[in-house]
């Protein structure tokens, strides 16, 4: 079992990163929040969890132990697999997830792609009664770190749509997120980005990136 990797970031994409270790590239599925902190060409240490199903073997990566622990706890809930668990962690921080469980906030949980109302209710019922939630917040938790503007952009649905659009066109995630942030600042737009403005911001951000080639 692969427990962790230390190597150079070879690529950052919409839902995964490539970490090169001793000439071997490992594909890691990671949350958008963790992906936004990676820099191509920089060394990184990533905790990993391997999942094996009938159809595939996948390696999931985490920059924080608390996030990895929550990933494991979420999958103990009936009907929650690794993809949905990662979608939840991409949408909510550890602190936000704990608050949603404690407050019985189904709406907050269902913001995660692929998670319906019944699944959210199962998470609240099963985790609130069986997990010491405070133990999942540690000093390396995202709560302890200052939230970057890139994280905010990725947590806003409209901005995330623009970032994902740029990534689909071949731009690295970090460059795409930075371009969206600067474009919104230049246009005097604040988060959350209105859906009607997504196309306009996408065009302007793409122009900005092309100028920087």
């Amino acid at each position: 079992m692969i427990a962790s990797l230390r190597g150079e970031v070879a690529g950052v994409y919409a839902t995964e990163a490539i970490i090169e270790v001793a000439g071997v590239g490992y594909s890691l599925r990671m949350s958008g929040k963790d992906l936004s902190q990676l820099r191509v060409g920089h060394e990184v240490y990533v905790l990993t969890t391997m999942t094996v199903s009938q159809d595939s073997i996948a390696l999931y990566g985490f920059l924080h132990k608390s996030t990895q622990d929550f990933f494991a706890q979420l999958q103990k809930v009936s009907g929650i697999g690794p993809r949905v668990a990662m979608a939840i962690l991409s949408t909510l921080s550890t602190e936000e997830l704990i608050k949603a469980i404690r407050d019985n906030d189904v709406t907050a949980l269902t913001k995660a792609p692929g998670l319906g109302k019944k699944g959210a209710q199962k998470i609240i019922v099963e985790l609130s009664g069986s997990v010491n939630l405070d133990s999942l917040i540690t000093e390396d938790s995202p709560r302890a770190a200052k939230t970057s503007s890139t994280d905010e952009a990725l947590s806003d649905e409209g901005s995330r749509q623009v970032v994902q659009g740029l990534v689909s066109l071949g731009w690295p995630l970090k460059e795409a997120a930075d371009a969206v942030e600067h474009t919104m600042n230049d246009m005097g737009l604040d988060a959350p980005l209105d859906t009607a403005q997504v196309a306009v911001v996408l065009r302007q951000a793409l122009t900005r990136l092309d100028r920087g080639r």
Side-chain angles (χ1 to χ4, degrees), residues 55 73 171:
D55 300 322
Q73 292 295 340
W171 294 98

Side-chain angles (χ1 to χ4, degrees), residues 77-93:
V77 177
S78 58
I80 304 298
R83 289 182 180 275
V84 174
M86 186 58 74
I88 295 170
L89 294 173
S90 291
T91 305
L92 300 173
S93 68

